[in-house]
């Protein structure tokens, strides 16, 4: 705990009479403060603040279908922010996550198209390729001991070039061909990119997947041995290894999890837009990382949650679309986004500091 | 993706992938519709081959990687190079400083001619001067309509973005639009801003510009949906690139809006949407023509001393409108990825 608590008993004067019976060391801190100290609570309050702000500033946000749109935007960020956050808790991060999404979509699209196969073949091969990219990142990191910044920066550049070059080589263009008339497209679209109606509002299926993945990730992180391993390798790799945590396995599997996320989002993009431009995805990795950091994950590892990044991604989607719903001057768009995000992070930080200071 | 880039790392994944693909093919997983099999083989345009001595031309653009528009420019340049017995060196970088270095690189290679895009003319001024000093003819294409003469370029092939925007605005008047959303996929791009400004100049109604994150399609989709919700009076969505038009059609559906979609620039998927009536029209600056004419112009200069436009006037490649009335004819060429 904090310094003040340890310093308290050193004072010679007898404890003041009144309700305070113990010396304070074993006293339960108030529930509110204990809650505030959780990694996801700061961002939750930040998200609520942003939501309330836009409910006032932008009347269209109060409409159900607008909220569905905001949630859709948040989900495409959030599905990737989840594995990125787990990886970050495990002490690493992945700069190749943005272009890896496009790599996966390109693989599925080109494979099915060029070989004229059922699109599910492409989908499955794309999954294997995405997992392999994750495994490569993790393996190289563990084998060489290089920082993840360097390893994944390398993969980021490789994938960027490969995306472009292979697409051009295979299709003769820099975008893939339209696969919407091929066998299996309808089924895959149902799974990755369909829409359903709740009370007259059209909701994208990615929102459901996002929340389901978040629930699963929370359970894994808090209730399973693997979850403990993630915290352990992110906190201190060497002492984790000393107490028998399989560090290599944990790190590689975390990178593969990011690969899985990239595959999922890539499939969503492919099946909702039918074709993929090979230059897309650059810069998205920073948005995923930002959503995880806003969500309370430390860049240094060992601390964070799976539910925090859900609010982090929501905040991103809310601010990005809220500015449009408010009808503000679009020239200021990115500046608004930056100010709102910085503000949210500062609220987050302040809440945590206040809470842990008791 | 490229499985050869990480072969030794994963002994199993590539093997499994290939085996799975093979097994699935055998198991009858081929698609009965669409795909490569349905694509018809189509040869590129060809008009014989020149017998003039081999020359080398560098084409240096400000292309961002993976953009379909620039791919078409390059195809035009390659077609002209093949016909004129030219070795074409293509390079590109969206960063103006890097583009200047690429031009310097071409000078160092002692090429016989350079074709450049002038998205940021001031940054290229110095290096273009060097090229001219070393006797290498330089032509401009695509962007830089107002600057090519100051930089003493030989000739210029492109579309005046403002003129294209103005033509677009007039067309919007014809189709009876009242309020237009102008979707910009790259904040701060001069050419894109000129397009929207051009539309605003001639269009009788109101034009609302909107920036979107062009590298993230789901975000583009959500943002256009949000804007249509915020302002239900928008009855036309104007996009400045073909892939964004296709996304805008989805946004209109999501927002439950009645707005129609029209766009700058073409690609082969867009042709289908124009045929289907999802997209009303596209204004085409003919990127293939820009690449082709720039390279061919250098060939003509070297072999016959010709100047297109007489060195005084630019050669305009746009704006040409593509709508339901002429889409069938253009569709044939677009299917090859050359329109």
């Amino acid at each position: 705990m904090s310094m003040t608590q340890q310093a308290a008993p050193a004072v010679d004067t007898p404890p003041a009479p009144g309700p305070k019976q113990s010396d304070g060391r074993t006293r339960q801190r108030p529930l509110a403060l204990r809650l505030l100290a959780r990694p996801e609570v700061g961002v939750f309050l930040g998200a609520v603040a942003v939501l309330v702000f836009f409910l006032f500033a932008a009347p269209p946000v109060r409409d159900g279908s607008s909220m569905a749109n905001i949630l859709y935007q948040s989900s495409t960020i959030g599905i990737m922010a989840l594995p990125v956050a787990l990886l970050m808790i495990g002490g690493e991060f992945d700069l190749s996550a943005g272009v890896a999404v496009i790599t996966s979509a390109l693989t599925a699209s080109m494979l099915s198209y060029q070989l004229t196969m059922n699109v599910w073949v492409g989908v499955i091969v794309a999954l294997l390729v995405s997992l392999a990219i994750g495994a490569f990142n993790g393996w190289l990191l563990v084998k060489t001991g290089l920082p993840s910044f360097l390893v994944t920066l390398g993969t980021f550049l490789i994938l960027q070039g490969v995306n472009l070059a292979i697409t051009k080589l295979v299709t003769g263009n820099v975008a893939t061909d339209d696969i919407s008339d091929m066998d299996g497209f309808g089924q895959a679209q149902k799974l990755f990119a369909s829409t359903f109606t709740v009370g007259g509002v059209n909701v994208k299926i990615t929102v459901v997947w996002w929340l389901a993945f978040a629930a699963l990730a929370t359970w894994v992180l808090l209730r399973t041995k693997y979850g403990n391993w993630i915290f352990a390798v992110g906190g201190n790799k060497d002492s984790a290894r000393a107490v028998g945590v399989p560090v290599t396995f944990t790190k590689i599997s975390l990178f593969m999890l990011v690969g899985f996320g990239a595959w999922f989002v890539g499939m969503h993009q492919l099946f909702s837009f039918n074709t993929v431009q090979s230059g897309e995805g650059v810069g998205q990795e920073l948005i995923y990382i930002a959503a995880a950091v806003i969500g309370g994950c430390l860049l240094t590892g060992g601390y964070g949650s799976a539910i925090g990044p859900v609010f982090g991604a929501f905040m991103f989607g809310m601010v990005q679309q809220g500015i449009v719903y408010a009808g503000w001057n679009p020239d200021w768009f990115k500046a608004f986004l930056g100010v709102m995000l910085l503000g949210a992070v500062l609220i987050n930080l302040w809440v945590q500091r206040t809470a842990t200071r008791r | 993706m490229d499985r050869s880039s990480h072969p030794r790392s994963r002994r199993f994944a590539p093997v499994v992938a290939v085996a799975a693909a093979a097994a699935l093919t055998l198991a009858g997983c081929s698609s009965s519709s669409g795909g490569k099999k349905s694509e018809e083989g189509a040869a590129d345009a060809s008009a014989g081959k020149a017998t003039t001595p081999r020359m080398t031309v560098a084409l240096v653009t400000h292309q961002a990687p993976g953009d379909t528009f620039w791919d078409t420019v390059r195809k035009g340049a390659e077609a002209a190079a093949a016909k004129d017995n030219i070795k074409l060196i293509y390079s590109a970088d969206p960063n103006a400083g890097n583009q200047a270095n690429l031009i310097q690189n071409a000078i160092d290679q002692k090429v016989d001619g350079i074709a450049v895009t002038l998205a940021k003319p001031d940054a290229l001024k110095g290096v273009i001067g060097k090229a001219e000093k070393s006797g290498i003819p330089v032509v401009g294409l695509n962007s830089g309509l107002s600057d090519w003469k100051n930089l003493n370029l030989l000739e210029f092939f492109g579309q005046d973005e403002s003129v294209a925007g103005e033509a677009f605005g007039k067309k919007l008047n014809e189709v009876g639009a009242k309020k237009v959303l102008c979707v910009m996929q790259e904040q701060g791009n001069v050419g894109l801003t000129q397009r929207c400004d051009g539309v605003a100049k001639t269009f009788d109604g109101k034009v609302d510009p909107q920036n979107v994150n062009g590298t993230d399609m789901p975000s583009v989709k959500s943002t256009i949906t949000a804007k249509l919700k915020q302002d239900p009076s928008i009855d036309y969505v104007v996009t400045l690139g073909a892939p964004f038009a296709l996304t805008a059609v989805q946004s209109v559906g999501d927002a439950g809006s009645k707005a129609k979609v029209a766009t700058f620039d073409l690609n082969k998927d867009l042709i289908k949407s124009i045929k289907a009536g999802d997209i009303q029209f596209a204004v085409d600056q003919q990127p293939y023509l820009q690449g082709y004419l720039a390279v061919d112009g250098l060939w003509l200069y070297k072999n016959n001393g010709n100047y297109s436009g007489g060195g005084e006037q630019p050669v305009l490649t746009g704006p040409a409108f593509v709508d339901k009335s002429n889409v069938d004819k253009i569709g044939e060429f677009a299917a090859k990825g050359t329109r």
Side-chain angles (χ1 to χ4, degrees):
Chain A
M1 274 302 133
S2 71
M3 293 291 284
T4 49
Q5 283 169 311
Q6 283 168 2
V11 179
D12 277 337
T13 50
K20 201 176 176 189
Q21 293 302 317
S22 73
D23 62 3
R25 275 180 297 186
T26 53
R27 191 173 57 105
Q28 276 273 12
R29 294 161 64 240
L31 180 69
L33 282 184
R34 272 185 293 144
L35 260 180
L36 280 175
R38 301 257 337 130
E40 60 271 13
V41 173
V43 66
F44 172 74
L45 293 178
V48 169
V50 168
L51 175 65
V52 170
F53 175 78
F54 278 111
L55 282 175
F56 279 105
V61 171
R62 293 167 215 161
D63 189 34
S65 62
S66 302
M67 199 41 77
N69 186 37
I70 290 167
L71 285 175
Y72 166 62
Q73 161 86 77
S74 311
S75 69
T76 58
I77 297 169
I79 291 175
M80 268 308 264
L82 276 174
V84 166
L86 293 189
L87 180 68
M88 208 176 278
I89 298 171
E92 307 293 342
F93 67 97
D94 190 347
L95 287 178
S96 68
V99 285
V101 169
I102 302 303
T103 303
S104 204
L106 290 171
T107 308
S109 171
M110 285 192 291
L111 196 98
S112 338
Y113 187 85
Q114 297 299 327
L115 303 178
T116 317
M117 280 199 284
N118 191 302
V119 295
W120 283 104
V121 177
V123 170
I124 290 161
V125 174
L127 173 61
L128 296 174
V129 169
S130 289
L131 291 176
I133 293 167
F136 173 75
N137 275 333
W139 171 82
L140 197 64
L141 181 106
V142 171
K143 279 284 163 189
T144 59
L146 287 170
S148 50
F149 181 88
L150 274 181
V151 170
T152 59
L153 182 64
T155 335
F156 166 71
L157 295 171
I158 292 171
L159 290 181
Q160 220 182 320
V162 162
N163 280 358
L164 191 57
I166 298 272
T167 310
K168 177 87 190 187
L169 209 63
V170 171
T171 68
N173 299 302
V174 293
T176 63
D177 297 280
D178 186 356
I179 61 161
S180 61
D181 56 350
M182 295 181 67
D183 288 358
F185 186 89
Q187 295 167 334
Q189 193 176 36
K190 271 215 175 74
L191 182 69
F192 294 110
S194 60
T195 305
F196 60 93
T197 312
V198 179
V201 174
N202 288 326
V203 182
K204 292 281 189 310
I205 190 106
T206 46
V207 177
V208 176
W209 285 118
W210 174 38
L211 299 178
F213 287 149
L216 184 69
T218 303
W219 178 76
V220 166
L221 209 51
L222 298 180
R223 291 277 177 270
T224 67
K225 205 196 294 180
Y226 183 66
N228 278 334
W229 290 350
I230 297 176
F231 279 110
V233 297
N236 189 328
K237 191 177 62 176
D238 297 322
S239 43
R241 186 169 274 136
V243 296
V245 172
V247 173
T248 306
F249 168 80
T250 309
K251 294 235 171 185
I252 293 181
S253 60
L254 282 173
F255 274 105
M256 289 175 76
L257 214 56
V258 176
F260 176 84
W263 169 75
F264 200 92
V265 175
M267 291 308 103
H268 168 69
Q269 296 208 14
L270 176 60
F271 291 107
S272 59
F273 302 105
N274 310 343
T275 58
V276 191
Q277 281 205 100
S278 54
E280 283 176 42
V282 179
Q284 286 304 106
E285 63 283 345
L286 294 180
I287 290 177
Y288 303 142
I289 291 171
V293 172
I294 293 166
C297 297
L298 288 186
L299 274 167
T300 47
Y303 181 80
S305 71
I307 200 76
V310 171
F311 295 119
F314 172 76
M315 206 142 94
F316 233 101
M318 181 75 242
V319 172
Q320 199 162 4
Q321 302 310 329
I323 289 166
V324 181
Y325 282 121
W328 291 345
N329 182 349
D331 291 344
W332 289 94
F333 184 66
K334 285 195 176 150
F336 280 136
L337 199 64
V339 168
M340 298 288 291
L341 287 176
L342 266 185
V345 177
L346 288 177
I347 291 178
N348 192 355
L349 192 74
W350 174 77
V351 166
Q352 271 182 31
R353 288 228 175 114
T354 317
T356 46
R357 198 187 296 132
R358 89 179 180 121
Chain B
M1 200 37 352
D2 179 17
R3 284 179 292 283
S4 65
S5 70
H6 38 75
R8 284 161 298 277
S9 62
R10 292 287 295 166
R11 280 177 213 100
F12 299 115
V15 179
V16 171
V18 171
L24 287 164
T25 316
L26 293 174
C29 276
S30 42
S31 177
S32 58
S33 59
K36 183 82 176 171
K37 273 187 189 161
S38 70
E39 192 182 359
E40 287 170 3
D44 279 331
S46 168
K49 195 168 176 178
T51 52
T52 48
R54 184 110 171 129
M55 63 187 273
T56 306
V57 166
L59 171 59
V60 187
T61 75
H62 65 280
Q63 169 189 18
D67 188 317
T68 49
F69 177 89
W70 289 101
D71 199 39
T72 314
V73 173
R74 188 174 170 184
K75 279 183 179 159
E78 277 164 356
K83 198 197 73 178
D84 296 339
N85 193 23
I86 287 172
K87 182 187 168 203
L88 182 76
I89 302 168
Y90 181 81
S91 57
D93 201 303
N95 177 299
N98 294 344
Q99 197 193 353
N101 286 340
L102 290 172
I103 296 170
Q104 181 61 50
N105 184 314
I107 299 170
D108 297 342
Q109 293 187 52
K110 302 198 167 45
V111 295
D112 300 298
I114 299 176
V116 289
T117 63
L118 303 170
K120 282 149 193 157
D122 293 338
L124 303 182
K125 205 169 188 170
V127 73
I128 286 175
K130 273 196 211 166
E132 283 156 353
K133 221 173 246 166
S134 36
I136 300 174
V138 183
V139 302
L141 70 151
N142 183 260
S143 12
L145 193 82
S146 49
D147 299 280
W148 69 278
K149 278 179 82 178
N150 299 337
L151 296 176
N152 297 317
L153 299 197
L154 206 59
E155 48 201 5
F156 183 86
F157 308 94
Q159 165 179 266
D160 185 326
E161 300 293 11
S162 305
V163 169
E166 286 164 24
F168 206 108
K170 284 180 198 154
K171 181 94 176 176
L172 287 171
N173 290 336
E174 273 173 41
V175 297
K178 298 274 176 288
K179 184 158 193 193
V180 164
L181 179 68
C182 195
V183 182
M184 282 195 258
Q185 71 268 25
E186 199 186 320
Q187 190 171 350
N189 179 313
V190 178
L192 298 185
T193 313
Q194 282 173 345
R195 287 181 174 183
C196 284
D197 290 349
V199 173
K201 197 168 164 191
T202 52
F203 179 53
D204 297 332
K206 194 175 176 314
V207 178
D208 255 2
Q210 178 64 53
N211 295 313
V212 295
N213 177 6
T215 58
D216 182 28
M217 235 7 140
S219 163
V220 172
K221 181 166 147 183
S222 302
T223 305
I224 300 174
T225 307
K227 186 65 192 179
L228 290 173
K229 276 273 176 200
Q230 186 259 328
D231 189 349
S233 67
I234 291 168
D235 61 352
Y236 249 88
V237 179
V238 174
T239 57
L240 306 182
F244 307 105
L246 298 163
T247 302
V249 171
Q250 296 192 6
S251 299
V252 168
D254 279 359
S257 160
K258 292 262 187 302
K260 291 178 171 164
V261 180
T263 186
F264 287 79
D265 299 343
L266 267 190
N267 69 19
K268 64 178 176 181
D269 292 325
L270 194 76
I271 293 286
K272 278 190 227 158
S273 299
I274 292 178
K275 276 184 190 165
D278 292 336
I279 290 171
Q280 306 305 310
F281 60 89
V283 61
D284 184 16
Q285 61 171 310
Q286 309 195 79
Y288 186 87
L289 196 55
Q290 293 177 357
Y292 187 95
L293 291 179
V295 171
D296 208 36
L298 285 163
W299 179 80
L300 282 167
Y301 176 73
K302 171 134 178 156
N303 290 289
N304 204 36
N306 292 123
Y307 298 77
S308 295
E312 285 294 321
Q313 294 295 324
V315 179
L316 295 187
T317 58
F321 281 97
V322 179
D323 57 17
K324 255 194 162 151
S325 64
N326 60 355
V327 68
D328 287 332
K329 186 80 196 113
I330 289 165
E332 290 170 30
F333 307 119
K336 291 187 290 185
T338 56
R339 273 304 294 266

